[in-house]
Amino acid sequence: MSFDGMFTHVMVNELNQNLRGGRIAKIQQPFANELILTIRSNRKNQQLLLSAHPSYARVQITDQPFANPAKPSTFVMSLRKYITSAIVQDFKQLNNDRIVMVDLSAKNELGDIHEYRLIIEIMSRHSNIFLVNKENGKIIDLIKRVSPENNSFRGLLPGDDYKLPPAQNKINPFSTKDENLKDFSAADIRQKYEGIGLDTSAELEKFVAAGGSLDDFIDLYENHLAPNTANSNDKHKLGFFPIGFNNTTEIVNTYTSLSELLDNYYLDKARVDRIEQQTKSITHRLDIILKKDKSKIKKLNKQLSQTDIMAKYNLYGELLTTYMSQVKRGASSIVLNNYYNNEDVKIKLNPEYSPSDNAQHYYKKYRKLQNSIPHIKEQLEITTNEVNYLESVLASLEYVDIEDVDGIVDELVDSGYIKKKRRNGRKKRKKHVGEEFQSSTGVDIVVGKNNIENDQLTMKLSQKNHYWFHVKDIPGSHVILKSSDPDEQSITEAATIAAYYSKARDSSKVPVDYVKIKNIRKPNGAKPGYVIFEGQKTILVDPDRQLVADLKAK
C-alpha cells in the first residue's frame, strides 16, 4: 500500500494522540529530503520524521537513530530560528488528501507569540515540506526550492504566498454517509473519492462485494486499526496497511502502531537509499573501476585463449626446420607431413622471408606467447581479486548500517581508491572493532562491518580455536563465534547473523561456511577481507532480522 489519503488520515490521528501539546526540543536534517523534529511530549522525547523523499515520502514517529550533520542546512537554520521551543497545537489533514499541516505557536526574541504552520505534501517526486507564517500565508522556507521556470502554477521559494496544489474536487470518504458502492469498480472508487490509492480501492471493491459498505470500511479505520505488513494475493508484493485487507492480502506481521509499522517496513529501503545518498560519488568511481577491470579480464582471457595455438606455432617451426630443403623461397604456403601423427599440415609462409626466416618467425611467435603466459595469469589474478574486492565493498553498502559507512570510506582511502577528505574539523572517534551479539545460550558473537574490521577480527583479535563464519561464495561480513566447543544453537545463530550481514540478506536457505580460525590464512598481498581456508562445514539458514535484533548486545 502507498501512503495514500486513507493512511494519512489515521496517521494524523496517531500523531495528535502522541505529540499534540508537545514542545519542539531539537531540529535536524540528517538527509537531503528528511527532517527530524525531537518533540518533548508526555514527559518523553519522541522523534517526528517528516520525509519529502520521492519514493518514501511520509510522516511518522520513528525510533530509528539519526546522526546530526556537522553543518546544518539553510532550511534547518530557518526552522531553528522560528520554531525552536514551539508548541505543537494540532496535526491536520487537508480533507482526505496527502497533505499534513502541523500548527505551531512560538515566542520570538521579545516574547511575542507567533503562529506558524509546517506543511508536508506527500506527492511522490513533488513531495515537499514548508514552513509557513500563518499570519500572512507567506512561505518562510521549504526543503525543496523550485524556480518559477520549473513551476508556473505556484511559487515555491521563500517569500512566496503558500498556495495549495491543484484541487481534485473529489469526495472525502470520511465526510459522507450511506454511499452505495455495490456496482462500483476499483477505478470508479478512485475516481469518485479523494485519497484512495490502488490497493485501498481494490480492497474496498471486494469488501463491498462481500456484503460490506463504505460506512463499515470507514469504521475499521476509525475504530479498529490493525497495522500490518502483508503480501498481496495477486503479485505477492509486500506492502504496509493500517487495517487488515483480508480480501486482497495475506498478513505477514502485525504492529502496535502505524509508526512502528513504517519503521519496520522502511528500515532497509530507507537505509539503503540514505547510504546511496552519502556514497553516490564513491560508488560511481568504483563502478568505473569495475567496468575497466571487467573489460581487462575479458581481454586477458582472450589473450590467454590465444596461447592454445602456441603448440601449433612450435610445430610449424619444427617442421619447417626439418623439411627446410623442401621449402621454396617466395612460396606463400607449403604442405608438410606431421611425423607425430602422419597427417599433412598446411603452413602459411611469408614470400619475402627465406625458409630459415619463416621457421624462426614461428619459433618467435611461439616464444612470445610462451613468455606472455605467466604475465597474463598474474594480471588476471590481480584484476580478478580487485573485482572481487570492489564487489564485496559495494555489496557491503547494501547491508551495513548508516553509521558504518565512514568505516567503509576509510577502508577505501587506506586502499588508495579514493582521496581522503577533510572532516570539517571534527575529531575522528575511536571506533570499537566489530558489532557485538550474544547467542541465546550466552556465547559472544562479533561481526565485522567492513573489510578492514574483518581482517582485524579474523587475523588479529580472535583466538585460534574460536569459530569463523561466512556466507558461501557471496560477499558478506566475517562473523566470529567466541567458543572452542559451541553448542548447535549458537552455531545456527552465528550462521544466521552471517547470512543477515551479507548480500544474501533477502534470500532463504543460505549456505554458510564455518571453520576454526586456525584453519584460515591470508595470502601475502591479498586485499582486505580476503582469506582462504580448509576443513570447513556448511550449514543452511534463513536470514532473520528479528533474531538478529534479539541477539544484539545491549
Side-chain angles (χ1 to χ4, degrees):
M1 178 181 179
S2 60
F3 202 112
D4 65 2
M6 302 291 284
F7 198 99
T8 304
H9 179 92
V10 290
M11 177 56 78
V12 164
N13 291 341
E14 179 172 294
L15 296 177
N16 272 319
Q17 291 171 11
N18 288 277
L19 300 178
R20 181 190 284 161
R23 183 185 296 274
I24 296 176
K26 188 177 181 181
I27 302 169
Q28 58 190 118
Q29 186 181 341
F31 306 102
N33 298 311
E34 295 177 335
L35 189 70
I36 295 291
L37 304 182
T38 302
I39 299 175
R40 183 71 178 176
S41 177
N42 299 319
R43 291 183 293 183
K44 63 179 180 180
N45 289 336
Q46 300 185 72
Q47 292 185 132
L48 175 63
L49 168 64
L50 310 178
S51 175
H53 191 282
S55 300
Y56 314 133
R58 64 197 188 279
V59 182
Q60 66 165 105
I61 297 169
T62 180
D63 289 329
Q64 298 303 314
F66 294 92
N68 198 10
K71 185 178 180 180
S73 67
T74 302
F75 185 48
V76 166
M77 293 297 287
S78 295
L79 294 176
R80 289 175 180 174
K81 177 180 179 181
Y82 290 98
I83 62 170
T84 295
S85 298
I87 302 298
V88 178
Q89 301 293 344
D90 196 16
F91 289 87
K92 298 177 181 176
Q93 180 186 20
L94 180 66
N95 300 318
N96 197 44
D97 205 349
R98 293 171 297 165
I99 298 178
V100 178
M101 300 178 175
V102 188
D103 287 338
L104 306 166
S105 61
K107 292 182 179 180
N108 63 11
E109 298 86 352
L110 301 176
D112 299 325
I113 296 178
H114 291 274
E115 304 294 326
Y116 302 98
R117 175 171 280 172
L118 270 174
I119 302 173
I120 305 93
E121 297 179 354
I122 303 169
M123 298 177 178
S124 300
R125 63 189 182 90
H126 299 296
S127 299
N128 216 329
I129 303 172
F130 302 80
L131 176 63
V132 175
N133 187 328
K134 279 186 68 178
E135 295 161 7
N136 58 21
K138 298 283 187 183
I139 298 173
I140 296 174
D141 210 342
L142 64 167
I143 202 165
K144 297 179 184 176
R145 299 184 180 188
V146 181
S147 65
E149 294 81 17
N150 296 322
N151 191 317
S152 58
F153 177 78
R154 59 177 180 160
L156 293 173
L157 293 173
D160 289 332
D161 291 324
Y162 176 75
K163 185 178 179 181
L164 288 168
Q168 295 182 322
N169 298 318
K170 295 181 181 180
I171 298 173
N172 183 346
F174 289 94
S175 301
T176 185
K177 294 289 182 182
D178 301 323
E179 290 281 325
N180 185 0
L181 303 182
K182 187 175 180 181
D183 298 322
F184 274 53
S185 67
D188 294 332
I189 292 170
R190 293 195 303 275
Q191 185 66 30
K192 182 173 182 178
Y193 295 102
E194 181 181 36
I196 295 184
L198 288 169
D199 293 332
T200 309
S201 62
E203 173 66 20
L204 181 52
E205 178 188 15
K206 293 192 175 184
F207 183 85
V208 172
S213 67
L214 177 60
D215 287 351
D216 295 332
F217 196 67
I218 294 299
D219 181 64
L220 293 175
Y221 276 81
E222 297 286 33
N223 302 304
H224 303 284
L225 287 183
N228 69 88
T229 53
N231 286 318
S232 60
N233 292 340
D234 54 350
K235 299 179 181 178
H236 301 288
K237 183 179 179 181
L238 187 70
F240 60 89
F241 305 90
I243 62 172
F245 278 22
N246 300 323
N247 298 290
T248 54
T249 70
E250 183 175 343
I251 291 178
V252 175
N253 282 310
T254 58
Y255 300 91
T256 58
S257 69
L258 299 170
S259 292
E260 182 189 19
L261 162 66
L262 294 182
D263 256 358
N264 281 272
Y265 180 80
Y266 282 116
L267 184 61
D268 270 344
K269 292 179 174 63
R271 176 186 57 79
V272 170
D273 181 76
R274 289 162 183 158
I275 288 173
E276 285 178 352
Q277 289 181 39
Q278 283 200 355
T279 61
K280 190 174 182 179
S281 62
I282 295 172
T283 54
H284 177 68
R285 172 164 174 74
L286 297 188
D287 284 337
I288 291 173
I289 297 172
L290 268 174
K291 187 176 180 180
K292 289 180 179 178
D293 281 349
K294 289 179 178 180
S295 176
K296 184 177 180 180
I297 288 174
K298 190 175 180 181
K299 291 177 181 177
L300 289 170
N301 279 321
K302 186 177 180 180
Q303 291 174 14
L304 199 59
S305 68
Q306 291 174 349
T307 61
D308 293 342
I309 62 173
M310 184 173 65
K312 188 183 291 186
Y313 289 154
N314 188 43
L315 175 64
Y316 289 174
E318 183 180 336
L319 292 178
L320 287 172
T321 301
T322 303
Y323 299 111
M324 187 77 71
S325 60
Q326 298 180 28
V327 182
K328 296 180 180 179
R329 182 180 289 271
S332 59
S333 65
I334 188 172
V335 177
L336 298 174
N337 178 259
N338 180 0
Y339 37 73
Y340 290 109
N341 57 17
N342 203 30
E343 293 180 357
D344 288 339
V345 177
K346 185 178 181 178
I347 302 175
K348 188 177 179 181
L349 302 174
N350 189 330
E352 297 181 1
Y353 288 177
S354 67
S356 177
D357 287 342
N358 271 298
Q360 291 305 314
H361 173 68
Y362 278 112
Y363 278 133
K364 186 177 180 181
K365 291 176 74 172
Y366 162 72
R367 287 192 294 271
K368 183 178 180 181
L369 287 174
Q370 186 182 46
N371 293 335
S372 70
I373 290 176
H375 175 73
I376 292 173
K377 288 184 175 180
E378 180 186 11
Q379 288 300 308
L380 193 57
E381 182 180 4
I382 291 172
T383 311
T384 301
N385 287 340
E386 181 170 66
V387 166
N388 292 336
Y389 170 69
L390 293 178
E391 286 183 339
S392 76
V393 172
L394 290 172
S396 69
L397 293 173
E398 298 178 16
Y399 58 80
V400 299
D401 296 325
I402 189 72
E403 59 267 23
D404 300 311
V405 171
D406 283 348
I408 295 175
V409 172
D410 290 342
E411 174 189 333
L412 292 170
V413 169
D414 292 344
S415 300
Y417 287 101
I418 58 175
K419 293 182 179 179
K420 188 173 183 178
K421 291 185 178 180
R422 296 199 312 180
R423 297 179 174 265
N424 297 321
R426 286 183 294 168
K427 288 185 179 179
K428 189 174 179 181
R429 290 181 297 174
K430 190 174 181 181
K431 220 178 141 188
H432 182 72
V433 177
E435 188 161 351
E436 297 178 346
F437 297 81
Q438 192 173 74
S439 76
S440 54
T441 57
V443 182
D444 291 334
I445 303 170
V446 188
V447 179
K449 302 307 287 291
N450 57 64
N451 284 312
I452 290 178
E453 285 195 358
N454 287 336
D455 274 356
Q456 290 177 308
L457 285 174
T458 302
M459 307 310 299
K460 296 180 180 180
L461 302 179
S462 299
Q463 295 181 23
K464 295 297 181 182
N465 61 345
H466 287 168
Y467 277 83
W468 175 90
F469 292 73
H470 193 283
V471 286
K472 187 178 184 67
D473 301 327
I474 299 173
S477 292
H478 293 200
V479 175
I480 308 299
L481 180 62
K482 295 185 174 182
S483 172
S484 59
D485 186 24
D487 57 278
E488 291 298 323
Q489 182 71 17
S490 294
I491 289 174
T492 300
E493 290 172 351
T496 301
I497 292 172
Y500 182 77
Y501 284 101
S502 78
K503 199 171 183 179
R505 173 176 287 189
D506 297 323
S507 305
S508 59
K509 304 300 179 187
V510 177
V512 177
D513 291 332
Y514 66 101
V515 68
K516 281 194 173 183
I517 292 174
K518 66 182 180 181
N519 294 325
I520 296 173
R521 66 184 182 87
K522 188 174 183 67
N524 291 333
K527 292 286 186 183
Y530 179 77
V531 295
I532 55 178
F533 50 92
E534 58 185 6
Q536 73 275 14
K537 295 181 181 179
T538 304
I539 182 173
L540 293 177
V541 294
D542 293 327
D544 187 334
R545 181 197 307 278
Q546 190 57 53
L547 176 65
V548 172
D550 292 342
L551 298 179
K552 193 167 185 176
K554 304 302 181 187

Short mmCIF file of all heavy atoms in Angstrom, two decimals, residues 516-550:
data_model
loop_
_atom_site.label_atom_id
_atom_site.label_comp_id
_atom_site.label_asym_id
_atom_site.label_seq_id
_atom_site.Cartn_x
_atom_site.Cartn_y
_atom_site.Cartn_z
N LYS A 516 37.24 -23.48 12.26
CA LYS A 516 38.07 -22.87 13.31
C LYS A 516 39.06 -21.90 12.68
O LYS A 516 39.56 -22.13 11.58
CB LYS A 516 38.82 -23.94 14.10
CG LYS A 516 37.94 -24.63 15.14
CD LYS A 516 38.76 -25.45 16.13
CE LYS A 516 37.86 -25.97 17.25
NZ LYS A 516 38.62 -26.71 18.27
N ILE A 517 39.35 -20.82 13.39
CA ILE A 517 40.21 -19.76 12.85
C ILE A 517 41.61 -20.27 12.55
O ILE A 517 42.29 -19.75 11.65
CB ILE A 517 40.23 -18.56 13.82
CG1 ILE A 517 38.85 -17.90 13.85
CG2 ILE A 517 41.29 -17.54 13.44
CD1 ILE A 517 38.68 -16.80 14.85
N LYS A 518 42.06 -21.30 13.25
CA LYS A 518 43.40 -21.84 12.98
C LYS A 518 43.51 -22.43 11.57
O LYS A 518 44.62 -22.62 11.07
CB LYS A 518 43.77 -22.90 14.02
CG LYS A 518 42.93 -24.16 13.97
CD LYS A 518 43.34 -25.13 15.08
CE LYS A 518 42.50 -26.40 15.05
NZ LYS A 518 42.89 -27.33 16.14
N ASN A 519 42.40 -22.68 10.92
CA ASN A 519 42.40 -23.22 9.56
C ASN A 519 42.26 -22.14 8.49
O ASN A 519 41.99 -22.43 7.33
CB ASN A 519 41.28 -24.25 9.39
CG ASN A 519 41.50 -25.48 10.25
OD1 ASN A 519 42.63 -25.91 10.44
ND2 ASN A 519 40.43 -26.04 10.78
N ILE A 520 42.39 -20.88 8.91
CA ILE A 520 42.25 -19.74 7.99
C ILE A 520 43.61 -19.07 7.82
O ILE A 520 44.36 -18.92 8.79
CB ILE A 520 41.23 -18.72 8.54
CG1 ILE A 520 39.85 -19.35 8.61
CG2 ILE A 520 41.18 -17.47 7.65
CD1 ILE A 520 38.82 -18.46 9.29
N ARG A 521 43.93 -18.67 6.62
CA ARG A 521 45.15 -17.88 6.40
C ARG A 521 44.87 -16.82 5.34
O ARG A 521 43.96 -16.95 4.52
CB ARG A 521 46.33 -18.75 6.01
CG ARG A 521 46.23 -19.44 4.69
CD ARG A 521 47.43 -20.36 4.47
NE ARG A 521 47.38 -21.01 3.17
CZ ARG A 521 47.86 -20.49 2.05
NH1 ARG A 521 48.44 -19.29 2.07
NH2 ARG A 521 47.80 -21.15 0.91
N LYS A 522 45.69 -15.79 5.37
CA LYS A 522 45.56 -14.68 4.43
C LYS A 522 46.79 -14.67 3.52
O LYS A 522 47.91 -14.53 4.00
CB LYS A 522 45.45 -13.35 5.18
CG LYS A 522 45.14 -12.17 4.29
CD LYS A 522 44.91 -10.91 5.12
CE LYS A 522 44.52 -9.75 4.22
NZ LYS A 522 43.20 -9.96 3.60
N PRO A 523 46.61 -14.82 2.21
CA PRO A 523 47.75 -14.80 1.29
C PRO A 523 48.47 -13.45 1.33
O PRO A 523 47.86 -12.41 1.56
CB PRO A 523 47.10 -15.03 -0.08
CG PRO A 523 45.75 -15.62 0.21
CD PRO A 523 45.33 -15.05 1.51
N ASN A 524 49.76 -13.47 1.10
CA ASN A 524 50.54 -12.24 1.05
C ASN A 524 50.01 -11.32 -0.05
O ASN A 524 49.78 -11.75 -1.18
CB ASN A 524 52.01 -12.54 0.79
CG ASN A 524 52.67 -13.23 1.97
OD1 ASN A 524 52.24 -13.07 3.12
ND2 ASN A 524 53.70 -14.02 1.71
N GLY A 525 49.81 -10.06 0.30
CA GLY A 525 49.36 -9.09 -0.69
C GLY A 525 47.88 -9.14 -1.00
O GLY A 525 47.42 -8.41 -1.88
N ALA A 526 47.12 -9.98 -0.31
CA ALA A 526 45.69 -10.09 -0.59
C ALA A 526 44.95 -8.84 -0.14
O ALA A 526 45.36 -8.14 0.79
CB ALA A 526 45.11 -11.31 0.12
N LYS A 527 43.85 -8.56 -0.82
CA LYS A 527 43.03 -7.40 -0.49
C LYS A 527 42.41 -7.56 0.90
O LYS A 527 42.25 -8.69 1.39
CB LYS A 527 41.90 -7.25 -1.52
CG LYS A 527 42.38 -6.87 -2.91
CD LYS A 527 42.80 -5.42 -2.97
CE LYS A 527 43.14 -4.99 -4.38
NZ LYS A 527 43.62 -3.59 -4.44
N PRO A 528 42.03 -6.43 1.55
CA PRO A 528 41.38 -6.52 2.86
C PRO A 528 40.15 -7.43 2.80
O PRO A 528 39.36 -7.37 1.87
CB PRO A 528 40.99 -5.07 3.17
CG PRO A 528 41.97 -4.25 2.40
CD PRO A 528 42.24 -5.03 1.15
N GLY A 529 40.01 -8.27 3.82
CA GLY A 529 38.84 -9.14 3.91
C GLY A 529 38.98 -10.47 3.22
O GLY A 529 38.16 -11.37 3.43
N TYR A 530 40.03 -10.64 2.39
CA TYR A 530 40.17 -11.88 1.64
C TYR A 530 41.00 -12.89 2.43
O TYR A 530 42.11 -12.59 2.86
CB TYR A 530 40.84 -11.63 0.29
CG TYR A 530 41.03 -12.89 -0.54
CD1 TYR A 530 39.96 -13.46 -1.21
CD2 TYR A 530 42.28 -13.52 -0.59
CE1 TYR A 530 40.12 -14.63 -1.95
CE2 TYR A 530 42.46 -14.69 -1.33
CZ TYR A 530 41.37 -15.23 -2.00
OH TYR A 530 41.52 -16.40 -2.72
N VAL A 531 40.46 -14.07 2.62
CA VAL A 531 41.18 -15.15 3.29
C VAL A 531 40.90 -16.46 2.55
O VAL A 531 39.96 -16.56 1.76
CB VAL A 531 40.74 -15.30 4.77
CG1 VAL A 531 41.11 -14.07 5.58
CG2 VAL A 531 39.24 -15.58 4.87
N ILE A 532 41.72 -17.46 2.82
CA ILE A 532 41.47 -18.80 2.31
C ILE A 532 41.43 -19.75 3.49
O ILE A 532 42.04 -19.49 4.54
CB ILE A 532 42.51 -19.24 1.27
CG1 ILE A 532 43.93 -19.14 1.83
CG2 ILE A 532 42.39 -18.41 0.00
CD1 ILE A 532 45.01 -19.60 0.87
N PHE A 533 40.70 -20.85 3.35
CA PHE A 533 40.53 -21.75 4.49
C PHE A 533 40.27 -23.17 3.98
O PHE A 533 39.99 -23.39 2.79
CB PHE A 533 39.37 -21.28 5.37
CG PHE A 533 38.09 -21.00 4.63
CD1 PHE A 533 37.12 -21.97 4.45
CD2 PHE A 533 37.86 -19.73 4.08
CE1 PHE A 533 35.95 -21.71 3.77
CE2 PHE A 533 36.69 -19.45 3.40
CZ PHE A 533 35.73 -20.44 3.23
N GLU A 534 40.32 -24.11 4.88
CA GLU A 534 40.08 -25.51 4.53
C GLU A 534 39.46 -26.22 5.73
O GLU A 534 39.54 -25.74 6.86
CB GLU A 534 41.38 -26.20 4.13
CG GLU A 534 42.45 -26.17 5.22
CD GLU A 534 43.78 -26.76 4.76
OE1 GLU A 534 43.88 -27.09 3.57
OE2 GLU A 534 44.68 -26.90 5.60
N GLY A 535 38.82 -27.35 5.45
CA GLY A 535 38.22 -28.15 6.52
C GLY A 535 36.91 -27.59 7.04
O GLY A 535 36.46 -27.96 8.14
N GLN A 536 36.26 -26.72 6.26
CA GLN A 536 35.03 -26.07 6.73
C GLN A 536 33.82 -27.01 6.66
O GLN A 536 33.80 -27.98 5.91
CB GLN A 536 34.73 -24.82 5.89
CG GLN A 536 34.24 -25.09 4.48
CD GLN A 536 35.38 -25.30 3.51
OE1 GLN A 536 36.53 -25.51 3.89
NE2 GLN A 536 35.07 -25.25 2.23
N LYS A 537 32.82 -26.69 7.47
CA LYS A 537 31.50 -27.31 7.38
C LYS A 537 30.52 -26.26 6.86
O LYS A 537 30.81 -25.06 6.91
CB LYS A 537 31.05 -27.82 8.75
CG LYS A 537 31.90 -28.95 9.30
CD LYS A 537 31.37 -29.41 10.64
CE LYS A 537 32.24 -30.54 11.21
NZ LYS A 537 31.74 -30.99 12.54
N THR A 538 29.39 -26.70 6.35
CA THR A 538 28.41 -25.77 5.79
C THR A 538 27.04 -26.03 6.39
O THR A 538 26.64 -27.19 6.56
CB THR A 538 28.33 -25.90 4.25
OG1 THR A 538 29.64 -25.71 3.71
CG2 THR A 538 27.40 -24.86 3.66
N ILE A 539 26.35 -24.94 6.75
CA ILE A 539 25.01 -25.04 7.32
C ILE A 539 24.07 -24.13 6.53
O ILE A 539 24.47 -23.07 6.05
CB ILE A 539 25.03 -24.63 8.82
CG1 ILE A 539 23.65 -24.78 9.44
CG2 ILE A 539 25.56 -23.22 9.00
CD1 ILE A 539 23.64 -24.54 10.96
N LEU A 540 22.83 -24.56 6.33
CA LEU A 540 21.83 -23.76 5.63
C LEU A 540 20.96 -23.04 6.66
O LEU A 540 20.41 -23.67 7.59
CB LEU A 540 20.94 -24.64 4.75
CG LEU A 540 21.61 -25.31 3.54
CD1 LEU A 540 20.61 -26.22 2.82
CD2 LEU A 540 22.16 -24.28 2.58
N VAL A 541 20.81 -21.72 6.49
CA VAL A 541 19.99 -20.92 7.42
C VAL A 541 19.18 -19.89 6.64
O VAL A 541 19.50 -19.56 5.49
CB VAL A 541 20.86 -20.19 8.46
CG1 VAL A 541 21.55 -21.16 9.39
CG2 VAL A 541 21.88 -19.28 7.78
N ASP A 542 18.15 -19.37 7.29
CA ASP A 542 17.37 -18.27 6.74
C ASP A 542 17.73 -16.98 7.48
O ASP A 542 17.68 -16.96 8.72
CB ASP A 542 15.86 -18.52 6.91
CG ASP A 542 15.38 -19.69 6.08
OD1 ASP A 542 15.94 -19.90 4.99
OD2 ASP A 542 14.44 -20.39 6.51
N PRO A 543 18.14 -15.92 6.78
CA PRO A 543 18.39 -14.64 7.46
C PRO A 543 17.14 -14.20 8.22
O PRO A 543 16.03 -14.25 7.67
CB PRO A 543 18.71 -13.68 6.32
CG PRO A 543 19.17 -14.56 5.20
CD PRO A 543 18.38 -15.83 5.33
N ASP A 544 17.30 -13.80 9.46
CA ASP A 544 16.16 -13.48 10.32
C ASP A 544 16.43 -12.16 11.04
O ASP A 544 17.21 -12.11 11.99
CB ASP A 544 15.94 -14.61 11.33
CG ASP A 544 14.67 -14.44 12.16
OD1 ASP A 544 14.22 -13.30 12.34
OD2 ASP A 544 14.14 -15.47 12.62
N ARG A 545 15.77 -11.10 10.56
CA ARG A 545 16.00 -9.76 11.13
C ARG A 545 15.67 -9.72 12.61
O ARG A 545 16.41 -9.16 13.42
CB ARG A 545 15.15 -8.73 10.38
CG ARG A 545 15.36 -7.30 10.90
CD ARG A 545 14.24 -6.36 10.45
NE ARG A 545 14.05 -6.41 9.04
CZ ARG A 545 14.79 -5.73 8.16
NH1 ARG A 545 15.80 -4.99 8.60
NH2 ARG A 545 14.54 -5.80 6.87
N GLN A 546 14.54 -10.33 12.99
CA GLN A 546 14.11 -10.26 14.39
C GLN A 546 15.07 -11.00 15.30
O GLN A 546 15.41 -10.53 16.39
CB GLN A 546 12.69 -10.84 14.53
CG GLN A 546 12.07 -10.59 15.90
CD GLN A 546 12.00 -9.11 16.25
OE1 GLN A 546 11.49 -8.30 15.49
NE2 GLN A 546 12.54 -8.74 17.40
N LEU A 547 15.56 -12.16 14.84
CA LEU A 547 16.52 -12.91 15.64
C LEU A 547 17.80 -12.10 15.83
O LEU A 547 18.35 -12.02 16.94
CB LEU A 547 16.84 -14.24 14.97
CG LEU A 547 17.92 -15.08 15.66
CD1 LEU A 547 17.47 -15.52 17.04
CD2 LEU A 547 18.29 -16.30 14.81
N VAL A 548 18.26 -11.47 14.76
CA VAL A 548 19.48 -10.66 14.84
C VAL A 548 19.28 -9.51 15.83
O VAL A 548 20.16 -9.21 16.64
CB VAL A 548 19.87 -10.13 13.44
CG1 VAL A 548 21.01 -9.12 13.55
CG2 VAL A 548 20.28 -11.28 12.53
N ALA A 549 18.12 -8.88 15.77
CA ALA A 549 17.82 -7.78 16.70
C ALA A 549 17.77 -8.28 18.14
O ALA A 549 18.26 -7.61 19.06
CB ALA A 549 16.50 -7.12 16.32
N ASP A 550 17.21 -9.46 18.34
CA ASP A 550 17.10 -10.02 19.70
C ASP A 550 18.46 -10.39 20.28
O ASP A 550 18.67 -10.34 21.50
CB ASP A 550 16.19 -11.25 19.69
CG ASP A 550 14.73 -10.91 19.38
OD1 ASP A 550 14.37 -9.73 19.53
OD2 ASP A 550 13.98 -11.83 19.00
#
